[in-house]
Amino acid sequence: MRRAITIILLIVSITVPFIAFDVLPVIGDPESAPNTHVSDYYIEHAIEECNSPNMVTAVIVDYRAFDTMFETTVMFLAGLSVVIILANRPKSRIPAPESLKRLRDTSGRPVYTTINKDVMISIIEPVILIYAMYVLFHGEISLGGGFQAGALIGMTYLLDIMVVGRKRPIFNLPKEKSAALAGIGPFIYALTGFVSMIGGGLYLEYNKMPVPVHQAELHSLGITAVEIGVTIGVAGTIITILNALTERISFDDDNN
Amino acid sequence: MTLILQAVLLIGLIGITIAIIFGRDLMTSVVIYCAFSFLTMLLYNIMGAPDVAFTEAVIGVISTVFFIIILRSIDRKTK
Amino acid sequence: MMTTINAFLAAKGLYLLTLLLLSLGVAGVIVCNNYMKKLICMNVMQVAVIFFFLCLGQKDPGTIPVAMNEAVKAAEYINPLPHGLMLTAIVVSLGTTGVGLSLLLRIREKYGTIEEDDLLKKQAQQARRDKKRRELHHPGDSE
């Protein structure tokens, strides 16, 4: 009864002030306040100034690149805090449930002998990694970018842990070293900003990088370098969190 | 037309949230959270944001697996 | 009838449903006794906020914000600014969920349970035991 009263009071107090008065704009109006001031400039000048038809990438990595640098730093700090919180040595590793121990064969052969563990993983994982590289480098022309590519690399590591186990995964690192690897991402991002200051421009101004290529290519070069930093940051954080969680909870049913 | 589709998907999301709050087993809540993530990816696609939908599809899978890893170490019954 | 439904949805209907989802998420965080369900309801709240932001950037005859040909006019494409902000928000929420789950593991190791009622009872028991032990060893101390 008390739970129902709490839920109803919360619903009424959050919905009524916004709906009873006409404070929110009509959906789909091209003249509403968020659509008029600076977004028109971004839409019309994305191709000629940033050399990228994907306007979302042009906004987050070229016009608002300072924001994205701190978002990458926040990702790295989340991975670091997971390492710090779980830094104590646990008393014992939490074992597999009892119902699966009964099925175990005592002669040493694994219980699940499927084709997935030996053959299909070696075929599927390189395809996913190549797709991640494609998404990273085509982020300016079509949909994609650095965040999606980093998450795909993290998903490859997750697949490897689930199928093969913790004894021989692809990236065999303890959680402290993978947190250090995740820190290389924001470092590459900040370094690109300093390179453009060497050429005489402001921080993260891609027009004045001292690289001897054509004027239109400088933006593409800057965007690609920055997105590589974002990818390494996101992939490293996902690998760190997975390593930290599976050091205490056994996720593999055979090699226990 | 797209507005009606978005409203229907939102009503589905509200129903899923009620099922998450009032579920008795934690595995139920985690599996329904996976369906929630999938429905939000469809919603972002219909609204015209395919970048956001791509990101949500990948992150939803990884987030659900985080929850399932934790679920092996706690007891699943809850009232 | 379809146009009246469309007009109602565009002016107030979609906002009503979004705010309903947000308030259900907040209610879930407050009402649920289990810490893992509180984390799941936090993610529900985040989806409602992201949908609200993406609603504000819609344009009626617009298409997805990838330029199709060289000559672009601002009225033909959806506003790309909210999409950029929400992209990073989704990825950062993954990190937040990871930190929350590691705190959950430490709570489970120390107290043995993750229901809030049992946790508060155990904390009250430990506080009473510490107070009794302190009075036994140092009698007559004024706090």
Side-chain angles (χ1 to χ4, degrees):
Chain A
M1 184 60 192
R2 277 182 62 197
R3 282 159 69 139
I5 291 184
T6 311
I7 293 179
I8 291 180
L9 264 183
L10 265 174
I11 289 177
V12 165
S13 68
I14 292 185
T15 37
V16 164
F18 284 100
I19 300 300
F21 312 106
D22 284 330
V23 293
L24 293 169
V26 177
I27 297 179
D29 189 14
E31 300 291 326
S32 66
N35 288 340
T36 41
H37 291 287
V38 82
S39 325
D40 291 346
Y41 182 83
Y42 288 162
I43 294 177
E44 284 172 1
H45 295 260
I47 290 189
E48 55 187 75
E49 283 189 8
C50 314
N51 203 11
S52 88
N54 188 4
M55 297 166 196
V56 180
T57 301
V59 163
I60 58 177
V61 198
D62 197 321
Y63 284 118
R64 309 258 165 129
F66 206 51
D67 257 344
T68 312
M69 180 169 83
F70 284 108
E71 304 263 1
T72 317
T73 310
V74 165
M75 271 308 273
F76 162 63
L77 284 178
L80 197 64
S81 31
V82 169
V83 169
I84 292 179
I85 289 177
L86 294 179
N88 66 337
R89 213 176 291 256
K91 298 192 186 66
S92 64
R93 205 153 164 244
I94 301 173
E98 285 299 320
S99 53
L100 283 173
K101 278 203 182 133
R102 262 180 277 128
L103 291 178
R104 198 172 290 170
D105 194 359
T106 45
S107 70
R109 270 183 299 131
V111 176
Y112 304 104
T113 53
T114 62
I115 196 173
N116 280 340
K117 274 193 178 188
D118 306 317
V119 177
M120 289 306 289
I121 278 297
S122 330
I123 298 180
I124 288 182
E125 279 177 1
V127 175
I128 301 183
L129 285 175
I130 289 181
Y131 181 58
M133 288 294 118
Y134 166 79
V135 163
L136 168 63
F137 286 114
H138 275 249
E140 339 177 321
I141 306 180
S142 72
L143 310 165
F147 291 98
Q148 288 93 329
L152 276 171
I153 296 180
M155 192 152 38
T156 307
Y157 182 69
L158 175 68
L159 194 62
D160 205 45
I161 279 193
M162 281 203 302
V163 177
V164 174
R166 281 194 77 241
K167 296 292 171 59
R168 308 169 278 122
I170 307 182
F171 317 110
N172 202 358
L173 296 166
K175 59 182 190 295
E176 292 88 6
K177 297 201 176 119
S178 50
L181 180 70
I184 292 183
F187 178 70
I188 292 181
Y189 202 125
L191 204 63
T192 314
F194 280 121
V195 164
S196 41
M197 276 178 86
I198 289 178
L202 302 168
Y203 190 66
L204 281 172
E205 186 177 352
Y206 300 134
N207 274 330
K208 299 214 173 56
M209 296 207 301
V211 181
V213 289
H214 191 61
Q215 173 70 23
E217 292 284 318
L218 279 175
H219 275 272
S220 296
L221 218 58
I223 288 181
T224 307
V226 150
E227 298 228 349
I228 288 179
V230 169
T231 303
I232 295 178
V234 172
T237 301
I238 295 180
I239 292 177
T240 305
I241 299 182
L242 275 171
N243 276 340
L245 288 182
T246 52
E247 269 180 11
R248 297 166 176 246
I249 304 173
S250 74
F251 201 58
D252 183 23
D253 294 327
D254 279 332
N255 313 323
N256 224 347
Chain B
M1 188 57 204
T2 51
L3 286 179
I4 298 183
L5 269 176
Q6 289 172 25
V8 166
L9 273 178
L10 267 181
I11 292 180
L13 282 178
I14 290 176
I16 283 185
T17 313
I18 296 181
I20 287 181
I21 296 179
F22 289 111
R24 295 265 179 119
D25 193 355
L26 275 182
M27 193 60 145
T28 307
S29 298
V30 170
V31 170
I32 291 184
Y33 172 65
C34 189
F36 182 86
S37 197
F38 181 72
L39 270 188
T40 65
M41 182 197 76
L42 283 183
L43 188 64
Y44 295 152
N45 256 328
I46 290 180
M47 292 187 65
D51 266 342
V52 184
F54 189 178
T55 310
E56 169 74 35
V58 181
I59 301 280
V61 167
I62 297 182
S63 199
T64 306
V65 174
F66 278 174
F67 279 117
I68 292 184
I69 289 180
I70 296 282
L71 209 58
R72 277 178 79 116
S73 77
I74 59 182
D75 49 348
R76 284 162 44 172
K77 286 282 167 222
T78 177
K79 56 171 183 55
Chain C
M1 168 154 133
M2 300 290 282
T3 48
T4 51
I5 292 186
N6 263 339
F8 169 68
L9 278 179
K12 286 193 190 200
L14 272 185
Y15 289 131
L16 184 71
L17 290 173
T18 307
L19 291 168
L20 195 60
L21 190 68
L22 175 72
S23 55
L24 268 180
V26 176
V29 171
I30 294 180
V31 157
C32 287
N33 259 333
N34 202 347
Y35 279 125
M36 194 143 161
K37 274 200 199 167
K38 291 193 198 230
L39 277 180
I40 295 183
C41 288
M42 255 174 52
N43 282 354
V44 167
M45 271 190 341
Q46 181 212 308
V47 164
V49 170
I50 288 182
F51 182 76
F52 180 73
F53 260 92
L54 293 182
C55 262
L56 291 179
Q58 300 271 71
K59 282 187 205 175
D60 214 348
T63 172
I64 61 173
V66 177
M68 305 289 178
N69 43 9
E70 282 294 324
V72 284
K73 280 203 271 292
E76 291 174 9
Y77 294 99
I78 292 184
N79 198 359
L81 206 50
H83 296 354
L85 304 172
M86 295 306 116
L87 209 67
T88 47
I90 292 181
V91 177
V92 165
S93 91
L94 182 73
T96 311
T97 306
V99 174
L101 286 176
S102 64
L103 279 174
L104 196 91
L105 265 186
R106 286 301 299 259
I107 289 181
R108 162 93 169 92
E109 272 181 18
K110 182 159 190 214
Y111 290 107
T113 170
I114 57 171
E115 302 262 340
E116 197 161 9
D117 307 338
D118 305 339
L119 202 78
L120 292 174
K121 271 190 237 170
K122 276 200 183 150
Q123 269 186 339
Q125 260 180 2
Q126 275 185 357
R128 263 182 277 140
R129 206 182 325 144
D130 285 344
K131 191 161 155 218
K132 221 179 286 186
R133 198 183 313 146
R134 214 179 308 134
E135 279 178 8
L136 210 60
H137 284 245
H138 309 277
D141 263 355
S142 63
E143 292 289 328

